[in-house]
Amino acid sequence: MQTEVRYYQEPRVNKPVMVCGLPGIGSVAWIAVNHLQKELKAELFAEVFSPMFSPKVWLTDDGLVKLMKGEFYFWKNNGSGTDLLLFSANEQPYSPEGQYELADAVLGVAQKFGVQRVITMGGMATEKFAEQPKIYVGGTDVGLVKELEEFGAVKLAGGAITGTNGLIFGLAKPRNIPAICLLAETPGYLSLDANAAKAALQLSSKLLNISLDLHALDKQAQENADAVQKAKDLSRGAFPHEGKRDDRDLSYVS
Amino acid sequence: MQTEVRYYQEPRVNKPVMVCGLPGIGSVAWIAVNHLQKELKAELFAEVFSPMFSPKVWLTDDGLVKLMKGEFYFWKNNGSGTDLLLFSANEQPYSPEGQYELADAVLGVAQKFGVQRVITMGGMATEKFAEQPKIYVGGTDVGLVKELEEFGAVKLAGGAITGTNGLIFGLAKPRNIPAICLLAETPGYLSLDANAAKAALQLSSKLLNISLDLHALDKQAQENADAVQKAKDLSRGAFPHEGKRDDRDLSYVS
Amino acid sequence: MQTEVRYYQEPRVNKPVMVCGLPGIGSVAWIAVNHLQKELKAELFAEVFSPMFSPKVWLTDDGLVKLMKGEFYFWKNNGSGTDLLLFSANEQPYSPEGQYELADAVLGVAQKFGVQRVITMGGMATEKFAEQPKIYVGGTDVGLVKELEEFGAVKLAGGAITGTNGLIFGLAKPRNIPAICLLAETPGYLSLDANAAKAALQLSSKLLNISLDLHALDKQAQENADAVQKAKDLSRGAFPHEGKRDDRDLSYVS
Amino acid sequence: MQTEVRYYQEPRVNKPVMVCGLPGIGSVAWIAVNHLQKELKAELFAEVFSPMFSPKVWLTDDGLVKLMKGEFYFWKNNGSGTDLLLFSANEQPYSPEGQYELADAVLGVAQKFGVQRVITMGGMATEKFAEQPKIYVGGTDVGLVKELEEFGAVKLAGGAITGTNGLIFGLAKPRNIPAICLLAETPGYLSLDANAAKAALQLSSKLLNISLDLHALDKQAQENADAVQKAKDLSRGAFPHEGKRDDRDLSYVS
C-alpha cells in the first residue's frame, strides 16, 4: 500500500497560500488550522491515506468508521486577501520515514495548485505561560523572515524544529516554494493551548490580509489562563526557574 | 519481495459478501471465520504471501512446511442467501505498515470479485464473562449500522479499533465498499473465546440470511463457561470492579 | 538501494540441486555449506548485495574490504550424481523483511537455473551433546519426507523453523520447487558445531549420491566432543534435566 | 518520498578523486572534508535529500531553514594534481537501510562523473591520545594498500568498519571503483578531533599531490592536546592500561 492523495473535487483557487498544522506540542498548529477551517467554512477537497499512520480506525458517535488521515480544505476569498488551502491530520506519522513521506505528499498538493507560500505552525515550549505568546519565525528566505519581523514576530536564530510541521517547512525549499514556520510560545504542559493557537492566527491574519473571528479560541484560551493561574496560586514557588531561563537554550519542537 | 496474492482458481461468485477474521483478542474473529469455512466447506481459491508476516515457517504433523500466510475461500450459496468470500490468516503482520499492506491486499481481492459488503470481526474486551455476549457494531454508513441495530447489535459510539481487522474495515470506505465491523464482548482473559465467536456468527447468519450449524462452537463455549465458573468459585471477590465498570471507558481492540 | 544479485559467470549446470546454509544455531548450516564448497572446489558465480545486511564491512588480512553479502557457487558433477549450486552468506539479514527479501532472491537464482530441489539446513537445539546427532527433516511434499526417513532421518512433526533458512524452505513451495530442510541435533551451547554439520552432510551425500571427504570436519568435531566431555567432568550434575526432556517440546530454530 | 540527488550545476571535472567524510567517531572524517572544502573553496554542485535522515530541520542565525542532507562539492585543480569531488553530510542516516541507501547514492554520483578513486575517512578509537596519530588503511585492491603503506600508513589487517563511511568504501567494489578507507587514530573521548583530521589530510595531500594549508586545524588540534594534557595532569594514573593495549584487539569504527 502506498501513500495516496484522493481528490473529491478540483478547487479553482488563485495563487493560494497553504496553511498546515498537524498535532504537536500544545496542539497549537492543529487547533489553529481547525479553527481556520471552521471559521472560514473551508471545503474538503482531498484526503491523504498512508500506511505511515498508526494502524487503527476511529468511530464517530454515529458508529461510522474514520481512518487516520490527512485532510485538505480550500477557501475562496471574495475580498482583497488571498485564497487558502488548509492541511491538517489527526496525527503525525509515527516513523521518521513516514513523517518525510507525508510532508512530501502535502507539498505535492501545494505544487499542483500553484501555492505561493506555505505556512507551517507549531508550538515552542518555553515552560512558562504567556498571556501574549511570542511568535518565533523562520523562513526559506531572508525577505520572508523580515516581513514577519515587521509584524512583531521574533526571528528563530539557530535551533532545530522536529516532526512533520518542520519537514513540510524544510522540504518546501528544494521545491522552490517560499515557506515560513510560525512557532507560538507555549508552556509545554498544556495539551491544548488555544491561547498560543490564537496568537499564531493573529499573526497569520495580518500576513494573509484576512480578518478572522477568534472568539471561539478566546473562550478556551481564558479557561487555560484560569487553570494556569489556579495552579500557580496552589503551588507558589514550585517553578523557581520560571522567567529566568534564557530562551536561547531552547530546542524548538513543533 | 512484495506482498503477493496467488490465485489457484477464479471462483464465479454472484455479488458476494466477504467475511474477514484475523487472530486478535480472544481469537474471536479467527474462530468465527474458521468455523464458517469448515461448516460451509468453503473452498480455498487464493493465498496471500508477504514479507510483512513473521520470518518463520510451520510444520504439519506430516512434516510438511507451511508459510505464514492469508487464505481466501469462497462458498456458493444454492439457497436464497448470499455467496461468500472468506479471509483469514494465521497471524497479523507484526509491523504497522504490514497491517496496512495486508488490509489493502484483502480489499483488492474484495474489489476484484465485486464484493457487496465486507464484514470484519473482533473481540471487545469488557473484563467480564457474558453468557450472551453483546455484539457492538460500526459501519461505513448509517444505514448499515441501523440495519445491525435492528438485529440486536449495539452501536459503537466513539472509540478506536486497532489492528488489521480494523484497517480492513476502515480502508473499505475510500474504496467505496460498504463495510461493517462486529465486535463481540469477550472477557479479554480467554485466548480462544468460542462463545464470543458464536455470538458474532449468530448475528452474521441473520445478516447473511444463511443458516449455520454452531454446535461445534457450543461445545468449546461450554468448556469456557465451565472454566470461568470454576475460577470464579475459587476466587470469589477477586474481581471487585466486575460489572460496575462503565462500558464507555473501553477502548475497542479487535 | 535494492537487493541485487550480481553474476560473474553463467554456469551450465544440468538439473542441479541447491544447498543453502546461512549462519544460525551452532553455525551448522554455514559450516556444512562452506565445507561442501571447499571440498568440491565449487566456483563462485554470483553474489547478492542487499541493504538488508548489517551496515558494516570487513577487512581481510591483506587490508582488502569485504561487504556483507551472500555467495552462490556451482559444482559440475562428472560422476553419476547431481550438479550442485551452493548458497551461503556471512550473516542473516537483521530484519524480518530482510530475511524474506534474501530468501526470495535466493529462490530467484534457483528458478533461473532450473533447480530440481532445494536443501536448506539448520541446527535443532536439544540441549544435549550427541555423538551421532539425529537429523530431523521436513519437506514441501510427503514423498520427500519419506525418502529422507529411509535414509535414517526423523520427521519433524509440528513446530516452527525461524529465520532465513526456514524461509528459503517455505517460500520454495509457492514457487513449486521441491524443498527439504535438514535440522541437525546440536546442544545449542556450541557456537560452531562441526559434528552436527558433519551429520547433516552425511545424510546429504547419500541423498545427492555424491561421496564427500568429511575428515576436515572430523578434527573440529573431535575437539568439540573433547571440550564437552571436559566440561561435563568438571560440572557433573550441572545439567540435571539432560536426557529427560521431551523432544516434542522443542521449538525448532535454524 | 525517495532519496534524491538534486544537481545545481554539472561541473566539468577531469578524472576526479572523490573524498567522503560523514560525521562519526571523533568527527574525524567530517572535519577533514569540511576543511578541504573551505581551504580549496570547493563549489557546491549537488545535494542529496532523503527520508532516511532524521525528521527535523535546522535554522541558521538568519532564521533560514536547512534540511538534513548531504552535499557534493567540486574543485578544479589548476596545478599538476587531480580534480576533486567532495561529499559530506550533517549526519549519518539513523537506520541501517538508510546508511546503505546514502552510500549507494554517493557512489552513483561518483560513477556519473567518472571518479577514478574514492577516499573515505574515519576515526579509529585507540583510547589514547597520539600527537602524531597513525593512519590505518584498507582498500579495494592490494596495489592501493601498498601505495598507502609507502606513504607511512598502517595496513588494516582484519576487523570491521561500521557505518556509512565504511559502506561507501565497501560498495565501491562491486561498482569497480577503486576505493580506500583512511582511519586516523583518535582517543575516542574527543568529539571533535582536529588532530586526527589533520593527520588524515596530511596523508591525503601526499596521495592527491595537492598542497594543503592545515593551519586552521593546527589551532584546534593544539587546544585538544592542551585539554588532554590538563586532564592527564589532573588524573594521573586514571588510565592504567593506556599504551599497553594491543591495537589488534580493536574493532574499527568510523
Side-chain angles (χ1 to χ4, degrees):
Chain A
M1 181 183 168
Q2 304 295 315
T3 296
E4 184 201 2
V5 178
R6 187 171 282 251
Y7 290 92
Y8 304 119
Q9 52 174 309
E10 295 267 336
R12 295 206 178 176
V13 280
N14 181 32
K15 299 185 178 175
V17 168
M18 182 184 254
V19 186
C20 302
L22 289 104
I25 196 161
S27 303
V28 174
W30 183 83
I31 294 173
V33 172
N34 273 271
H35 180 81
L36 218 44
Q37 186 268 319
K38 280 177 190 151
E39 188 60 35
L40 299 177
K41 298 187 178 61
E43 279 182 59
L44 182 78
F45 71 93
E47 292 182 312
V48 54
F49 302 103
S50 174
M52 301 299 177
F53 286 119
S54 58
K56 67 180 175 193
V57 293
W58 291 99
L59 291 154
T60 66
D61 287 348
D62 292 326
L64 298 184
V65 68
K66 285 181 63 177
L67 282 166
M68 306 307 286
K69 63 185 174 185
E71 296 177 330
F72 295 91
Y73 295 85
F74 75 97
W75 177 69
K76 287 207 58 78
N77 188 349
N78 295 317
S80 59
T82 180
D83 286 355
L84 291 183
L85 298 187
L86 307 179
F87 174 72
S88 192
N90 37 19
E91 69 170 359
Q92 295 205 19
Y94 68 93
S95 75
E97 294 94 335
Q99 296 183 12
Y100 273 97
E101 177 96 352
L102 182 59
D104 192 56
V106 169
L107 290 167
V109 174
Q111 214 147 23
K112 178 180 160 79
F113 288 96
V115 158
Q116 301 293 300
R117 274 184 190 181
V118 167
I119 300 174
T120 65
M121 298 180 182
M124 183 160 107
T126 60
E127 287 180 28
K128 66 178 178 206
F129 181 80
E131 288 207 18
Q132 294 294 331
K134 283 185 198 148
I135 303 292
Y136 295 87
V137 294
T140 48
D141 63 74
V142 174
L144 275 171
V145 176
K146 290 235 169 83
E147 186 180 337
L148 283 152
E149 284 182 296
E150 284 163 18
F151 286 119
V154 181
K155 181 176 70 177
L156 283 164
I161 303 172
T162 58
T164 312
N165 288 316
L167 289 179
I168 294 173
F169 174 34
L171 288 167
K173 200 173 180 180
R175 285 186 183 255
N176 298 315
I177 305 176
I180 51 178
C181 185
L182 307 179
L183 298 187
E185 197 178 2
T186 182
Y189 47 75
L190 289 174
S191 59
L192 292 166
D193 189 351
N195 201 43
K198 185 187 161 190
L201 285 180
Q202 282 171 326
L203 191 71
S204 299
S205 74
K206 289 180 201 163
L207 186 68
L208 297 168
N209 192 22
I210 294 172
S211 70
L212 282 172
D213 184 340
L214 301 171
H215 284 94
L217 291 177
D218 271 338
K219 203 188 145 203
Q220 197 186 336
Q222 189 55 49
E223 288 166 8
N224 284 346
D226 293 348
V228 168
Q229 189 55 48
K230 197 174 289 177
K232 274 190 180 167
D233 293 345
L234 287 169
S235 64
R236 199 164 299 279
F239 302 106
H241 303 301
E242 188 175 305
K244 297 181 199 159
R245 193 167 167 182
D246 183 351
D247 281 357
R248 284 282 63 80
D249 290 346
L250 297 172
S251 69
Y252 312 135
V253 265
S254 67
Chain B
M1 182 183 169
Q2 303 295 315
T3 296
E4 183 201 2
V5 178
R6 188 170 281 251
Y7 289 91
Y8 303 119
Q9 52 175 308
E10 294 267 337
R12 294 207 179 175
V13 280
N14 181 32
K15 298 185 178 173
V17 168
M18 182 183 253
V19 186
C20 301
L22 289 105
I25 196 161
S27 303
V28 174
W30 183 84
I31 295 173
V33 172
N34 273 270
H35 180 82
L36 218 45
Q37 186 269 319
K38 280 179 189 148
E39 189 59 35
L40 299 176
K41 298 188 177 63
E43 279 182 60
L44 183 78
F45 71 93
E47 292 181 311
V48 54
F49 302 104
S50 174
M52 301 299 177
F53 286 121
S54 59
K56 66 180 175 194
V57 293
W58 291 98
L59 291 153
T60 67
D61 287 348
D62 292 327
L64 299 183
V65 69
K66 285 181 62 177
L67 281 166
M68 306 309 285
K69 63 184 173 186
E71 295 176 331
F72 295 91
Y73 294 85
F74 74 97
W75 177 69
K76 287 207 55 79
N77 188 349
N78 296 317
S80 59
T82 180
D83 286 354
L84 291 184
L85 298 186
L86 307 179
F87 174 72
S88 191
N90 35 21
E91 68 171 359
Q92 295 204 20
Y94 68 94
S95 75
E97 293 94 337
Q99 296 183 12
Y100 272 98
E101 177 96 353
L102 181 59
D104 193 56
V106 168
L107 291 168
V109 173
Q111 214 147 24
K112 176 180 162 80
F113 289 95
V115 157
Q116 300 293 300
R117 272 184 191 180
V118 167
I119 301 174
T120 65
M121 298 179 182
M124 182 159 109
T126 59
E127 287 180 28
K128 66 180 177 203
F129 182 80
E131 288 207 17
Q132 295 293 333
K134 282 186 199 146
I135 303 292
Y136 295 87
V137 294
T140 48
D141 62 76
V142 174
L144 275 170
V145 176
K146 290 235 169 83
E147 186 182 337
L148 282 152
E149 284 182 294
E150 284 163 18
F151 286 120
V154 181
K155 182 176 70 180
L156 284 164
I161 303 172
T162 57
T164 313
N165 288 316
L167 290 178
I168 294 173
F169 173 35
L171 288 167
K173 200 171 180 181
R175 284 184 183 257
N176 297 315
I177 306 176
I180 52 178
C181 185
L182 308 178
L183 298 186
E185 196 178 3
T186 182
Y189 47 75
L190 289 173
S191 59
L192 291 167
D193 188 350
N195 202 42
K198 185 187 161 190
L201 285 180
Q202 281 172 327
L203 190 72
S204 300
S205 75
K206 289 181 202 165
L207 186 67
L208 297 168
N209 191 22
I210 293 172
S211 70
L212 282 171
D213 185 340
L214 301 172
H215 284 95
L217 291 177
D218 272 337
K219 203 187 145 203
Q220 198 187 334
Q222 188 55 49
E223 288 167 8
N224 284 346
D226 293 349
V228 168
Q229 189 55 48
K230 198 174 287 176
K232 274 189 182 169
D233 293 346
L234 288 169
S235 64
R236 200 165 297 279
F239 302 105
H241 304 300
E242 187 176 306
K244 297 180 200 159
R245 192 166 167 183
D246 183 352
D247 281 357
R248 284 284 63 81
D249 290 347
L250 297 171
S251 69
Y252 313 135
V253 265
S254 67
Chain C
M1 182 182 168
Q2 303 295 315
T3 296
E4 183 201 3
V5 178
R6 188 171 281 251
Y7 289 91
Y8 303 119
Q9 51 175 309
E10 294 267 336
R12 295 206 178 177
V13 281
N14 181 32
K15 298 183 178 175
V17 168
M18 182 183 255
V19 186
C20 302
L22 289 106
I25 197 161
S27 303
V28 174
W30 183 83
I31 294 174
V33 171
N34 273 271
H35 180 81
L36 218 46
Q37 186 269 318
K38 281 179 189 150
E39 189 59 35
L40 299 176
K41 298 186 177 63
E43 278 181 60
L44 183 77
F45 71 93
E47 292 182 311
V48 54
F49 301 104
S50 175
M52 300 299 176
F53 286 121
S54 58
K56 66 180 176 193
V57 293
W58 291 98
L59 291 154
T60 68
D61 287 346
D62 291 327
L64 298 184
V65 68
K66 285 180 63 176
L67 281 166
M68 306 309 286
K69 64 185 173 183
E71 295 177 330
F72 295 92
Y73 295 86
F74 73 98
W75 177 70
K76 288 208 52 81
N77 188 348
N78 296 317
S80 60
T82 180
D83 287 354
L84 291 184
L85 298 187
L86 306 178
F87 174 72
S88 192
N90 37 20
E91 69 171 358
Q92 295 203 20
Y94 68 93
S95 76
E97 293 93 337
Q99 296 184 12
Y100 273 96
E101 177 97 351
L102 182 59
D104 193 57
V106 168
L107 290 167
V109 174
Q111 213 147 24
K112 176 179 161 81
F113 288 96
V115 157
Q116 300 294 299
R117 273 184 191 180
V118 167
I119 301 173
T120 64
M121 297 180 182
M124 182 160 110
T126 59
E127 286 180 31
K128 66 181 177 200
F129 182 79
E131 288 207 17
Q132 295 293 331
K134 282 185 199 147
I135 303 293
Y136 294 86
V137 295
T140 48
D141 62 76
V142 174
L144 275 171
V145 177
K146 290 235 168 84
E147 187 182 336
L148 282 153
E149 284 183 295
E150 284 163 19
F151 286 120
V154 181
K155 181 177 71 182
L156 284 165
I161 303 172
T162 57
T164 313
N165 288 315
L167 289 179
I168 294 174
F169 174 35
L171 288 168
K173 200 172 180 181
R175 284 184 183 258
N176 298 315
I177 305 175
I180 52 179
C181 185
L182 307 179
L183 298 187
E185 197 179 3
T186 183
Y189 48 74
L190 289 174
S191 59
L192 291 167
D193 188 350
N195 202 42
K198 185 186 161 191
L201 285 179
Q202 281 172 327
L203 190 72
S204 300
S205 75
K206 289 180 201 164
L207 186 68
L208 298 168
N209 192 22
I210 293 172
S211 70
L212 282 172
D213 185 342
L214 302 172
H215 284 95
L217 292 178
D218 271 338
K219 205 189 145 202
Q220 196 186 336
Q222 189 56 49
E223 288 167 8
N224 284 346
D226 293 348
V228 169
Q229 189 56 47
K230 197 174 288 177
K232 274 190 182 168
D233 293 346
L234 287 170
S235 64
R236 198 164 299 278
F239 302 105
H241 304 300
E242 188 176 306
K244 296 181 199 157
R245 191 166 167 184
D246 183 351
D247 281 357
R248 285 282 63 82
D249 289 346
L250 297 172
S251 69
Y252 312 136
V253 263
S254 68
Chain D
M1 183 184 167
Q2 303 295 314
T3 296
E4 183 201 4
V5 179
R6 188 172 282 252
Y7 290 92
Y8 303 119
Q9 53 175 308
E10 294 267 336
R12 294 206 179 177
V13 281
N14 182 31
K15 298 183 179 175
V17 168
M18 182 183 254
V19 186
C20 302
L22 289 105
I25 196 161
S27 303
V28 175
W30 183 83
I31 295 173
V33 171
N34 273 271
H35 180 82
L36 219 46
Q37 186 268 319
K38 280 178 191 151
E39 189 59 34
L40 299 176
K41 298 185 177 63
E43 278 181 60
L44 183 78
F45 71 93
E47 291 181 313
V48 54
F49 302 103
S50 175
M52 301 299 177
F53 286 120
S54 57
K56 66 181 175 195
V57 293
W58 291 98
L59 291 154
T60 67
D61 287 347
D62 292 327
L64 299 184
V65 67
K66 286 181 62 176
L67 281 166
M68 306 309 285
K69 64 183 174 186
E71 295 177 331
F72 296 91
Y73 294 86
F74 74 97
W75 177 69
K76 289 210 52 82
N77 188 348
N78 295 317
S80 59
T82 181
D83 286 355
L84 291 184
L85 298 186
L86 306 179
F87 173 73
S88 192
N90 36 18
E91 68 169 0
Q92 295 204 20
Y94 69 92
S95 75
E97 294 93 337
Q99 296 184 11
Y100 272 97
E101 177 96 351
L102 181 59
D104 193 56
V106 168
L107 290 166
V109 173
Q111 214 147 24
K112 177 179 161 81
F113 289 96
V115 157
Q116 300 293 299
R117 272 184 190 180
V118 167
I119 301 173
T120 64
M121 297 180 182
M124 182 160 108
T126 60
E127 286 180 28
K128 65 180 177 205
F129 182 80
E131 288 207 16
Q132 295 293 332
K134 283 185 198 149
I135 303 292
Y136 295 87
V137 294
T140 48
D141 63 76
V142 174
L144 274 171
V145 176
K146 289 236 168 82
E147 186 181 337
L148 282 153
E149 284 182 295
E150 284 163 18
F151 286 120
V154 181
K155 181 177 70 182
L156 284 165
I161 303 171
T162 57
T164 313
N165 288 315
L167 289 179
I168 294 173
F169 174 35
L171 288 167
K173 199 172 181 181
R175 284 186 183 256
N176 298 316
I177 306 175
I180 52 178
C181 184
L182 307 179
L183 298 187
E185 198 178 2
T186 182
Y189 47 75
L190 289 173
S191 59
L192 292 167
D193 188 350
N195 202 42
K198 185 187 161 190
L201 285 179
Q202 281 172 326
L203 190 72
S204 300
S205 75
K206 290 181 201 164
L207 186 69
L208 298 168
N209 192 22
I210 294 172
S211 70
L212 283 172
D213 185 340
L214 301 171
H215 284 94
L217 292 178
D218 271 337
K219 203 187 145 204
Q220 197 187 336
Q222 189 55 48
E223 288 167 7
N224 284 347
D226 293 348
V228 168
Q229 190 55 48
K230 196 174 290 177
K232 274 190 182 167
D233 293 346
L234 287 169
S235 63
R236 198 164 300 278
F239 302 105
H241 303 300
E242 188 176 304
K244 297 181 198 159
R245 190 165 169 186
D246 183 351
D247 280 358
R248 285 281 62 82
D249 291 345
L250 297 172
S251 69
Y252 312 135
V253 263
S254 67

